Every structure is written in structure tokens, then in C-alpha cells.
Amino acid sequence: MFRESPIIRWRNYSDRYKLSGHKCTKCGANYFEKKGMCVCGNLIFSEMFFSGNGKIVSFTKIHSGPSVFEEQSPYCVAIIDLEEGARITAQIVDCKYDELKIGLGVEAVFRKLYKSGEKGIIHYGTKFRLKL
Amino acid sequence: MAGIIGWGAYIPKYRITAEEIALVNNDNANAIKAGLGLTEKSVPGKDEDTITISHAATKNAILRAGIKTKEIGSIYIGSESHPYAVKPSSSIVGDAIDLGNDYMAVDTEFACKAGSATIQFNMGFVDSKMINYGLSIGADTSQAEPGNALEYSAAAGGAAFVIGKNEEAIATIDYTCSFTSDTPDFWRRAMQPYPSHAGRFTGEPAYFKHVVGATKMILEKTKMEMKDFKYVVFHMPNGKFPERVAKIFGVTKEQLEPGLIVKKIGNTYSGSALLGLTCVLDIAKPGDKILMTSYGSGSGSDSFILTCTEKIVGAQKKALTTQDYVDRKEYLTYSKYRKHMETIH
Amino acid sequence: MKIGVIGIGITRFGEIWDRGLRELLLDSQLRALNDAKIVPQQIDAMFTGNMLGDSLSGQVHIGAMATENLNLDKPSIRVEGACASGALALRQGIKAIESGDAEIVMVNGVEKMTDVDTGQVTTALMGAGDEELEGFHGLTFPGLYSLLANAYMHKYPSLTRDILAEVAVKNHFHGARNSYCQFKNEITKETVINSTMVADPLTLFDCSPITDGSATIIIAKEEIAKKMNSEVFITGSGLATDTLSLARRNTLTAIPAGQKAANQAYAQSNITSKDISFAEVHDCFTIAEIMAVEALGFAKEGEAFNLYKNKETYFDSKHPINTSGGLKACGHPVGATGIKQAIEATMQLRGEAKNRQVLNATVGVTHNVGGSGATACVHVFKRLR
């Protein structure tokens, strides 16, 4: 339903495609995807870009994905500490699960996330791979 | 004239061997390998397509060019496997590499020469001063029907080039011309998942006539000879065809081999001749002259003559090389390969 | 705070093919009325916990459905807080009584999950996470808890795969002694470890199932409940929230909202964790129960493994946890789970839990979590007669 919408993802293309982030103009905290209010209470953010380099904080391999991800299963997902100081959840690709370890360095790649059925939009975004 | 400011290659990690395919198709693997002159081919990841391959190659090209993405005025992606029939690959890649909104973009199709043709577009735009820099990309995740001979060669990969003024070039483009005719050797009708071809007709009247025709044309027009070139690249539908063209022109092994990437990864269609060129640029020295002739069924060939400049030395190490991607590999079984190609889920 | 429990009613939990949302709800409502020995007209208001009515049955407006079922026109509201919807509905009922707006309140929790395929249920449940930050990337609920499990087991290696399996083994042991439970079979830790991998390291037997079910509890103001000879009273209700996504949490080795909610409820009830006879906790996954018993103060962070290693969480041992079978064995009809926990607590305190009865049970705690810990609601139940 909502995952088939071409619009719901479109408004976040900048974040999804380019890892653009939001820097709090008061305390300097960086966010991946806008947070209404910074933890310091400030409401004003400026644009920044994450380099795409980070480290694995935790990871898993999903064997049974939700409907639109079923054909890609199994796939690895991790929580990643970006070097600029924000955390992001994303897939880790081009690796074997047993190669993954907490603390390993990863870098961003641009990949297909999922297709909205046979007729719908193809959704693209950032995934990560172990540093080459 | 315009030249190449930066180049970048990308080849997916996955491979399938001719033996693995032959097992399923009840073919003689050794005969196939000898006949096609290749042993394995690249396969896209489950989440890779022409758009993501173009993006990865373009990132490398921009790293080598060392320019700001907002200075780029155009992006053209040539492919016969654009993920959408209607909706451009070029605007998606343009957005993802942050070109802003002030740029021209379009997807092209001319079988396997859809990418090389976009270099000619950008040369025109740069020379006419309409843009400072333009992106020319050729990439494919080629389709092959299960059981068809194409299965052994149809591979995935792509190359990207930043085209700009000669003064900034890592390689100047000294001349280009095309040899074109209506030749029904290979095609894919709208809404059809797999291409069709006219068997042995794809050889003499198609590939050879056009590749030889365009190469002869550019040599005549520039009054150059084969011995003037350090490297020569011909489109590579398999390992055999470019070697036969080389024989016709007296191209030596030393001139041809460095760009003969088909032997390692198969035919990447719109990426084929262009990946041959990135292989050569990765190792070329200032002053080296390069001849490249692409081929697209239907049919046409684009020929280019390039001369490497002093700037190439510093650019070579700024990004992963074509060989880095060739060496990074994981082999798939036939069933996994079909899953990657989305034939089975 | 003293809010009396005057009636409880629950359907069988499981795959109930022949009943939809409305019939399931009516069943538990009638059972609770029967248990309370009151007529529908005595109810002043209703609150119904439900998470997935819209995505799995195409039905919202479950508040009105709940009153319509009993031919009432009283105030009625659907409450949603993902898998904590049940406990949140109970809390709203308590607040309605405390505010003086109502004297007798019916609180329901209902979920119908088996009408659609697993992929759709997985997608719908993921609505409890952060759709933009997590769902878009292909995360599932087992995936989120696996991220927690891997982070926890990396920091606290004493929690081994074998010990984690003991959570499910114990819950199935209890489930085998509970008549309304979905899975009434005992299992071994080998069953857990060798079952299908869902999201590494969690296997099918680390995960709560997809379940249909409905549960209803009728609560009343202290004076009325006393007149009706109620034995069980709710003395504390704590509620805390956290970020929707795991990536924005301060910790991946605990669920802080659970601890905050517990501390509030304990303070209201003048108890500490030492006073607790038993607890019904939110074990949507085995790792969640480990984090729950730590949040409730039965063990320090990183030390809950001891309770499972020494088998101290069985109904007849030191810290009885999930005597109902928990979400794992009893089933997890998400909106109904919070009410089921309250019903199990009431049955234990009334001494009606038969062959899983905790001896001398005086204080019971229920711990209901929404999402991967973005909402946690804790209630304290006491036997006061």
C-alpha cells in the first residue's frame, strides 16, 4: 500500500541518494533524516553531507523479509555509526554474513532497495559494503 | 577539441563460469570456451542494475576528474537495459551524484554503442561551449534467454567519462567518426524480455563490416596508421571477434590485449568497448595514443582517437581501477545466477 | 492508586479461522461480563487496544464496534501503541476512573492476524518501527530484535545461544499448563536452536507467533470493586517512551523505557522488585524477555542469563516469569497481549491458575512493550483481601 507509493520516498531522495544530513545550528549534532527537534531543543538545521564512511554497531541477516523485500531475502542489515556522528540503519551488501563483525569499517554504495510490484516505481537508496 | 577529464569503471562482484552454464544447457564447456574466447562473465548483484552500475562508475570518474559535481552540465547514459522503458536512468543518477537541477540529461539506446555515442554528444556540447563538463556513461545488465548462446557472454558492468576542454584533459580526443547502416543482426522488440539475433549474420555483414568500416574511415581521415597507437580497443561481443579485426589491421597482441577485458568478465554490451578503454587509461602513459571502435547492432560503429596527456599519471590512482573490480569476485551457481537475473525468485 | 479488577474474559489464542475481529471481541466481552456478574448497561466507558485492524482487516473505528457489540452508546475509544496497545488501553481505563469520568470501565484488546499472508503481517508489524529509517531498508521486527540481540551478546557474552533458548523452553513449559494458550507443547533447547533462521541469531522458536485472540478486563473504582468482593487491585501504572528507531537510541543493550515505566509503577505501589511474586513480560522475542527481566529489576543489565541458567523463572521457582506461556507460547495477538497479561496476573492473584499457580502470589507485574522499545507500559497488581 504505502510502500507502493512513488511519492512517499521521493521527498527523502536527497537523504537517501546522497546521504545529505541535517546539522543542528546550535549544538552541531548531525542527523541522518530530519528530526523535528534536536536533542538540545533547537529547531533549525543546516544541510551537511555524510562521507558514507562508518562502522558497524550491530548487524543481522534477515531470512524472511516483508512483502516487497521477499525476493531479495536473505539480506544483511546493520546499524552503522557514521564518522560524522550519526547512526543509520541500512543493508550491507556484497558480503557473506560471517564476514561481518561489530566495529568493522563500511562505505556507502548506491543500490536498488525494492520494486513496487511489476508495474510500480523502483526505489533506490544507500546501502553499505565492507570497505574495499 | 574536447577531451576526457576523468574516467571510472564498475563491474559487479559476482561471476558465473562457462562450465556452470554448460552443465545446465548440456553444452560442451571446452568447445564453448574455445569458440567464444571467454571463461566466465560478471553477474549483477540482486540489487544492481544499469542505474546503480552507472552511479558507481560515475563516482570513480568524478574522483579522477577532481571537479565539483555542480560544474557538470550534462549526463547521458547509454544502455539496452535501462530499468524503465519510460523514466530516465540519467535523472536518477544525476540526482544521486548531486548535479543540482541545471543540467541536460537523456538516456540513449543504440544496442552496444549507446554509451560511446554519448561521448560524441558531449564533445559537441563542450566544443560549442554550451557546457563545461559532461558525463558520458555506458552500462548494461545484459539479458540472455536461458539456453541461448548469449548466456555465456551477456555480462554486467559499465564505464563513465567526464568530458571537458582539451586543456584539462587526461586524454585529448583527437578525432571521432561513425559508420552507420540499417542492418538487422540483433534486436529486442518493445515489451520483450530477451533480445533476438540473426545467428551467423551478426558476424560478417554486421560486426565486422561496421567495426572495420569505422576503423578504416578514421585512419583515412586522420592519415594515421595502426603502428601509431600504443593501445587498440574494439567492441568485444566475445573474445574472438576483436582478435579477428586485429588480424585484419595487423594490430599486435601488445596493442590489443590490455583492453581485451571480455576474456575476464564477458560482454558488458554498452559498457564493453568503454571498459576496454578504462583498462587502457588505467595503465597508459603521457603521449600514448589510443584507438577505440565500438559497435552497436542495427548497426553502427563509433571510432575515437585519443592522446594521453601528462595529467593522466596523477588521475590513475585517485579511484579503484578496472582491474581492482576484475579481481574482486564471488562465483555463483546457475540457480543463484538466475535469481540474480530475476528469472526466478 | 487502587483500581479494582471485577471481571476477566479471554478467548482461546491461536489460529481462529472461523471468527473475525468482531466475533473475537464479542466473545471476550461476554466472558468478562459473565465473570464480573454485571450487565452491559453498568459499563460507563470502553477502551479497546488494537494495532492492525486497518492493515489486516480493513477495519478501523473499533471503539464504536466494541460498544455496538453490547448494544451500548457509551464513550468508547480505540487505543493504539503498537504491541503495547492493550496496556495503553488499560491505562486509559484507569485514567478515566481516576478522573471521575467513569466508575466501571471495560477494557478490551483484540487482534485478527491470520487472514493475510505472512509477508503482509511482517510489513504491517514493521509499522511499529520507523518506516522511513528502518522499514524502507527491509527491516522486520525479528530483524530489529536481532540487532538488539547481537549488540547485547557482543557486550555480554555470558548470554549464550543455549541460554537464550531457555527463555522459549520455559515459556513453552508454562504454555503446556495454560488452557487458552496457542502452543500447548513443551520443547527442548535443541528445538529452538535448530529451527528455521528468521533473522540471525533468532530462529522461529525465538519468535512469538502470529495469533488471533481477544481479551477483556473490567475495572472499577475502589469502593465499587470492594462492594463486589474483588480481591485484585491495580496499584500502579507506568508509561514511558523512546525513539521509534533503534539507530537513535542511547543504548542497544537495554530497553530504557521499560525500566522507566517500571520505576513509576513501583513507586506508585510502594514496592521494589523484591516484593514481586511473578511477572508477565513482553517476550515478543527471547532476547526481549532477557531485557525485560533486567528492566523490571530482577537482574542487573547483563546478568539476566543467570536466572535462565539456573532455571529460576519457572512458576514454582524464585522469579516466575510468563506463567501464561508468554507471547512465545501463549501467542501474540498484538493488541490483546497487554490485556492477556493483566488477566494472567488476576488469575494468579485470585489463585485460579491451576497447575501453573504461583504459591502465595501477592504482587504481580505486567510489562507490555510497543515496537522495539519505543513504548513501554508497566502495571502492578496486588491481592488485597
Side-chain angles (χ1 to χ4, degrees), chain A residues 1-3 8-9 11-12 16 31-36 57-70 75 77-79 87-91 97 102 113-114 123-127, chain C residues 54-55 117-123 126 130-140 142-144 146-152 154 197-201 243 245-252:
Chain A
M1 198 161 58
F2 58 90
R3 281 189 177 156
I8 186 170
R9 310 302 183 194
R11 64 177 70 90
N12 292 323
R16 296 276 159 70
Y31 292 94
F32 175 71
E33 295 225 340
K34 204 168 270 173
K35 196 169 183 297
V57 179
S58 191
F59 59 93
T60 181
K61 183 180 189 180
I62 293 178
H63 293 258
S64 161
S67 306
V68 294
F69 290 92
E70 264 167 0
Y75 49 90
V77 178
I79 296 177
R87 270 186 185 177
I88 182 172
T89 313
Q91 288 189 28
Y97 183 68
I102 289 172
L113 264 299
Y114 67 91
H123 300 275
Y124 294 89
T126 301
K127 297 186 183 180
Chain C
D54 25 1
S55 40
D117 71 57
T118 309
Q120 282 174 281
V121 177
T122 309
T123 307
M126 195 49 216
D130 191 313
E131 172 57 23
E132 295 292 341
L133 291 173
E134 297 175 331
F136 175 71
H137 298 280
L139 263 165
T140 58
L144 289 172
S146 291
L147 289 169
L148 289 171
N150 276 332
Y152 185 102
H154 179 75
M197 191 63 82
V198 175
D200 230 292
T243 63
S245 68
L246 286 183
R248 286 186 172 164
R249 294 276 168 82
N250 293 325
T251 174
L252 294 177

Side-chain angles (χ1 to χ4, degrees), chain C residues 34 54 144 152 181 203 231 293 321 336 381:
Chain C
N34 189 47
D54 25 1
L144 289 172
Y152 185 102
C181 174
T203 69
E231 298 162 89
V293 301
I321 304 288
F381 293 74

Side-chain angles (χ1 to χ4, degrees), chain C residues 20-34:
Chain C
L21 207 51
R22 183 191 292 270
E23 295 100 316
L24 285 168
L25 178 57
L26 178 64
D27 186 342
S28 69
Q29 287 176 307
L30 294 177
R31 286 170 192 259
L33 285 170
N34 189 47

Side-chain angles (χ1 to χ4, degrees), chain B residues 92-114:
Chain B
I92 297 173
V93 177
D95 226 25
I97 59 169
D98 198 24
L99 294 189
N101 300 115
D102 184 5
Y103 67 93
M104 299 182 283
V106 82
D107 294 357
T108 65
E109 187 282 310
F110 193 139
C112 299
K113 83 164 190 95

Side-chain angles (χ1 to χ4, degrees), chain A residues 43-56:
Chain A
L43 290 166
I44 304 162
F45 297 87
S46 63
E47 190 183 47
M48 53 82 63
F49 288 91
F50 293 102
S51 63
N53 295 316
K55 279 189 179 144
I56 295 175

